[in-house]
Amino acid sequence: MVDEFEFGIIIQVDAKPQQYIQKHRETKGLIMNDIPKHKGCFRFYEDKNVSLKMYDAGKNIKHKQGTSMKKVIRDAGWNPDGNYLKWEVHYKKPHIALNNGVGFNVASLVNPNRVSIFKSDLLSQYQRLIPMKSIKLPKKKTDLASADIVIRLLVEDRINQGHTLKDTKRMIYKDISSMPDTLLNANDKKARKRQINSLINKIEEEDTSKWDLYNALLERLED
């Protein structure tokens, strides 16, 4: 009988894997674990039944495989200069997570019907994470002054906490208004608010998250 097992896939991504890893957050019911020594290249989320792992698969190959195995992997299509990310589910209690509390044996792990269930669950488990939203890059260098960069970081962080651009503007306005008149008089405060309004008006949200891996995972699973 199967006590625990892992199921996952490797996909090639456009940017460095750690960028995708760092740009995901957990939904309610999961606990995130980020281990500093991995420097952003490995992160996992867990509950009592599963552990969801996302890591830099290319780095894993380079550091954990010998020369002969690297050649085998390269012959199978691995490009040492490519960006590869692995999404994996470690089933700590597979009978609960996958089989309504009923245990199953080792032979069933390679049953095509069972594998289809594993693939479907791999996608479902990914949907328990939230890919962070991004804001569009400006078209002109002049729109990336130091103040623009600071506001962009603040706005992106606030967006991923569920706040809108208007919410962020109101928050900053409120802080400006709270300043004592001996430090900023009424005209000073109006001028600061105009500056903030100008900075925030340059910012646009992306329609979709560029860090979302769902379609890439789905395409890979359908190969």
Side-chain angles (χ1 to χ4, degrees):
M1 300 302 291
V2 177
D3 292 324
E4 299 183 35
F5 76 98
E6 295 177 337
F7 187 82
I9 55 171
I10 295 173
I11 57 173
Q12 191 163 6
V13 290
D14 296 328
K16 296 293 183 184
Q18 53 264 52
Q19 290 183 266
Y20 292 89
I21 295 166
Q22 296 297 313
K23 293 294 185 178
H24 280 79
R25 293 187 176 181
E26 71 279 13
T27 53
K28 187 176 180 180
L30 288 173
I31 297 173
M32 185 188 78
N33 294 277
D34 206 355
I35 303 171
K37 72 176 184 178
H38 293 297
K39 299 179 181 179
C41 292
F42 173 73
R43 178 179 281 178
F44 67 100
Y45 310 81
E46 61 183 345
D47 61 21
K48 62 183 180 180
N49 296 323
V50 297
S51 179
L52 312 178
K53 303 177 183 181
M54 192 180 288
Y55 58 89
D56 185 337
K59 185 175 181 180
N60 232 37
I61 293 169
K62 289 176 182 177
H63 289 85
K64 293 187 176 181
Q65 302 296 339
T67 303
S68 59
M69 184 54 68
K70 284 179 183 175
K71 183 180 183 306
V72 171
I73 299 171
R74 190 181 292 110
D75 290 343
W78 171 56
N79 175 6
D81 298 320
N83 298 310
Y84 296 91
L85 182 145
K86 186 163 188 179
W87 170 245
E88 179 179 285
V89 181
H90 179 127
Y91 293 100
K92 296 185 285 187
K93 296 181 179 180
H95 61 294
I96 295 176
L98 294 168
N99 211 29
N100 297 316
V102 180
F104 53 90
N105 58 28
V106 175
S108 66
L109 292 180
V110 294
N111 181 296
N113 292 331
R114 183 73 67 181
V115 172
S116 293
I117 292 171
F118 299 160
K119 288 181 176 182
S120 178
D121 192 64
L122 197 66
L123 284 171
S124 296
Q125 295 291 350
Y126 174 72
Q127 290 179 296
R128 298 180 70 189
L129 301 186
I130 302 171
M132 293 174 66
K133 294 179 182 177
S134 305
I135 53 180
K136 294 180 180 179
L137 286 172
K139 295 178 181 178
K140 301 179 293 181
K141 183 170 71 173
T142 51
D143 287 334
L144 272 181
S146 299
D148 292 301
I149 293 170
V150 172
I151 286 291
R152 283 173 59 84
L153 288 171
L154 172 63
V155 167
E156 191 167 69
D157 184 61
R158 295 271 299 171
I159 286 172
N160 284 295
Q161 292 177 37
H163 302 285
T164 65
L165 287 171
K166 286 184 179 180
D167 290 337
T168 302
K169 187 190 294 187
R170 279 196 291 267
M171 180 193 74
I172 299 174
Y173 278 13
K174 185 176 180 181
D175 187 62
I176 292 171
S177 296
S178 71
M179 297 293 175
D181 293 339
T182 52
L183 185 61
L184 293 177
N185 62 36
N187 288 330
D188 292 330
K189 292 176 182 179
K190 287 179 182 178
R192 301 301 190 278
K193 289 177 182 179
R194 284 196 298 271
Q195 291 171 344
I196 294 300
N197 185 59
S198 176
L199 290 168
I200 289 182
N201 282 345
K202 297 178 188 177
I203 295 174
E204 291 183 80
E205 289 183 57
E206 294 281 5
D207 295 328
T208 57
S209 172
K210 65 181 180 181
W211 309 112
D212 192 338
L213 295 168
Y214 182 85
N215 288 333
L217 291 169
L218 179 61
E219 183 178 346
R220 181 74 177 83
L221 286 169
E222 289 179 342
D223 284 350

